[in-house]
């Protein structure tokens, strides 16, 4: 599981350019799936059929996004410095001095213009990527080329730091759940979505196509257990987070209770999550067609959208256990 998480986080796949991640996920799920397809937006849709169809069989969509935030070259100046636009929520405070890697293999370092005040955080339009070029002519990058943060996966005891834990850790949880599930009374669609970071675009089209009875997103949430963090409950090592709300959705209370009951019945730790910002693919599933009851299982993560996002391995393992338990039994919505 650790090796796969390392592979997933060290693969480059900014929104719209998820191909390398998809290839890796495809190889893992191929032997476990009853049906696999890739749709027009690049979503990888993996179906696990019910062992037996009964009146309790539900069509459940589990979504984890393959894409990560990134940068796109927007202008090359006469000295070969590359200005860029952002793909998703790239924060200026996490970027200067960082390394990036273009999909064509070119490495770059992020620098910035002269600052008015030494301690200010430069805006993204005051930054550039230095790729070692000396002119526009010898610059190995063209306008439209795409890059992502470049950082190795690092173990720190039972915690791991990597770029793109958001949401490769969710992708890992979905793959490992499919592996652990073996059989299910439900018709489960594991959808490895695209373009989440630019507005849940892959989940929007794939949720319409799958047309599920229930939707569960697996994504990261911000752990607030660091010095002077915003006042929120989520912390590393205290179990998967069951989302009640973020800035894009109110999780369906019936789904929330199903998740909580399953955790309690299986003696798994869990945390109650109210995230004060952000959203996930669960929002897109909830709002598809005439509406779908949806919720989100979140992995608490420090420094989300930085090049070094940290998760706790126990939370990852317990997330797999919770999702597997949810999909293995009759869905109890308390109705
Ligand atoms: Co994100
Ligand atoms: Zn995410």
């Amino acid at each position: 599981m650790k090796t796969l998480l390392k592979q997933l986080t060290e693969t480059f796949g900014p929104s719209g350019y998820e191909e390398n991640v998809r290839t890796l996920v495809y190889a893992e799920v191929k032997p476990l799936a009853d049906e696999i397809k890739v749709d027009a937006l690049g979503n990888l849709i993996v179906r696990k059929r019910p062992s037996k169809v009964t009146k309790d069989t539900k069509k459940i969509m589990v979504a984890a996004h393959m894409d990560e935030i990134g940068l796109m070259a927007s202008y090359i100046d006469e000295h070969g410095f590359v200005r860029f636009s952002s793909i998703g929520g790239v924060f200026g405070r996490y970027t200067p001095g960082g390394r990036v890697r273009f999909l064509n293999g070119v490495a770059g370092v992020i620098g910035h213009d002269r600052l008015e005040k030494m301690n200010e955080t430069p805006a993204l339009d005051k930054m550039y990527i230095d790729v070692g070029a000396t002119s526009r002519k010898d610059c190995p990058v063209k306008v439209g080329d795409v890059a992502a943060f470049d950082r190795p996966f690092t173990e720190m005891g039972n915690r791991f730091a990597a770029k793109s834990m958001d949401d490769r850790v969710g992708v890992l949880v979905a793959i490992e759940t499919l592996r652990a599930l073996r059989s299910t009374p439900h018709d489960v669609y594991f959808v490895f979505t695209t373009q989440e970071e630019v507005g849940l675009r892959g989940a929007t089209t794939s949720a319409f196509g799958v047309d599920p009875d229930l939707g569960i997103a697996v994504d990261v949430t911000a752990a607030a257990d660091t010095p002077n963090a915003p006042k929120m409950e989520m912390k590393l090592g205290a179990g998967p987070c069951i989302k009640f709300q973020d800035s894009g959705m109110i999780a369906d209370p019936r789904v929330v209770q199903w998740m909580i009951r399953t955790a309690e019945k299986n003696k798994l730790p869990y945390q109650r999550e109210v995230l004060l910002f952000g959203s996930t693919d669960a929002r897109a599933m909830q709002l598809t067609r005439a509406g779908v009851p949806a919720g989100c299982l979140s992995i608490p993560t420090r420094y989300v959208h930085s090049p070094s996002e940290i998760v706790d391995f126990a939370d990852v393992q317990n997330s797999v256990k919770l999702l597997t338990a949810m999909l293995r039994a009759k869905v109890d919505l308390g109705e």
Side-chain angles (χ1 to χ4, degrees):
M1 207 150 125
K2 216 191 293 179
T3 316
L4 182 55
L5 185 58
K6 174 177 161 69
Q7 279 179 301
L8 284 165
T9 54
E10 290 184 348
T11 301
F12 298 96
S15 311
Y17 294 81
E18 297 88 354
E19 190 180 345
N20 294 330
V21 184
R22 188 167 49 241
T23 303
L24 182 56
V25 176
Y26 190 96
E28 291 294 323
V29 298
K30 183 87 216 302
L32 308 167
D34 294 317
E35 233 174 72
I36 305 187
K37 75 172 200 207
V38 178
D39 75 6
L41 262 69
N43 297 293
L44 178 64
I45 302 173
V46 179
R47 184 177 183 190
K48 176 84 182 159
R49 286 178 188 279
S51 46
K52 194 165 119 235
V53 178
T54 70
K55 62 173 189 358
D56 294 326
T57 299
K58 300 264 187 219
K59 195 197 275 188
I60 304 176
M61 173 166 164
V62 175
H65 68 90
M66 294 187 289
D67 61 309
E68 68 193 286
I69 56 171
L71 314 169
M72 186 182 276
S74 56
Y75 177 79
I76 321 285
D77 77 12
E78 56 181 324
H79 302 294
F81 292 106
V82 180
R83 298 285 171 167
F84 58 88
S85 61
S86 67
I87 298 174
V90 176
F91 301 135
R93 65 180 186 275
Y94 286 140
T95 11
R99 307 278 180 94
V100 299
R101 179 78 59 178
F102 283 85
L103 294 180
N104 64 5
V106 171
V109 170
I110 299 179
H112 57 80
D113 300 351
R114 176 175 51 83
L115 301 175
E116 294 305 324
K117 286 184 236 92
M118 274 302 270
N119 291 325
E120 75 181 294
T121 300
L124 291 184
D125 65 356
K126 300 282 186 282
M127 296 185 201
Y128 53 82
I129 307 169
D130 185 335
V131 291
T134 59
S135 71
R136 190 180 292 175
K137 248 187 152 158
D138 72 6
C139 183
V141 168
K142 289 199 257 327
V143 168
D145 284 353
V146 166
F149 294 140
D150 189 7
R151 287 286 167 100
F153 177 91
T154 304
E155 282 187 50
M156 305 183 303
N158 205 36
R159 295 181 170 171
F160 307 141
K163 73 153 186 74
S164 70
M165 280 296 183
D166 177 10
D167 186 27
R168 304 291 157 67
V169 71
V171 167
L172 176 82
V173 167
I175 294 171
E176 295 302 330
T177 299
L178 174 61
R179 208 189 307 279
L181 197 54
R182 290 205 194 92
S183 85
T184 169
H186 303 296
D187 199 3
V188 188
Y189 287 75
F190 290 89
V191 183
F192 299 91
T193 62
T194 56
Q195 300 194 41
E196 189 271 354
E197 297 291 357
V198 290
L200 322 176
R201 294 175 192 170
T204 300
T205 62
S206 57
F208 187 94
V210 170
D211 190 13
D213 301 321
L214 289 166
I216 302 286
V218 186
D219 208 333
V220 302
T221 190
D225 56 352
T226 50
N228 298 313
K231 296 257 174 286
M232 299 188 291
E233 289 279 308
M234 300 81 80
K235 46 183 167 293
L236 295 195
C241 298
I242 297 175
K243 191 187 294 288
F244 283 75
Q245 186 192 29
D246 58 29
S247 61
M249 88 177 300
I250 308 283
D252 191 296
R254 295 164 296 180
V255 174
V256 170
Q257 292 310 318
W258 168 39
M259 296 172 80
I260 289 177
R261 273 196 295 269
T262 307
E264 288 178 349
K265 209 189 282 174
N266 292 275
K267 300 195 169 53
L268 294 169
Y270 69 91
Q271 310 184 58
R272 298 164 70 94
E273 174 198 350
V274 175
L275 178 66
L276 300 175
F277 38 80
S279 202
T280 72
D281 282 344
R283 173 191 163 87
M285 291 189 279
Q286 187 177 48
L287 298 182
T288 197
R289 293 184 182 249
V292 173
C296 182
L297 189 164
S298 318
I299 297 100
T301 305
R302 288 184 185 160
Y303 321 122
V304 173
H305 285 202
S306 83
S308 299
E309 300 171 327
I310 297 180
V311 299
D312 188 293
F313 194 40
D315 294 333
V316 181
Q317 290 168 308
N318 284 319
S319 298
V320 174
K321 286 182 189 158
L322 176 55
L323 187 57
T324 306
M326 287 167 63
L327 299 175
R328 205 174 256 165
K330 182 184 161 199
V331 174
D332 177 8
L333 292 184
E335 286 162 328

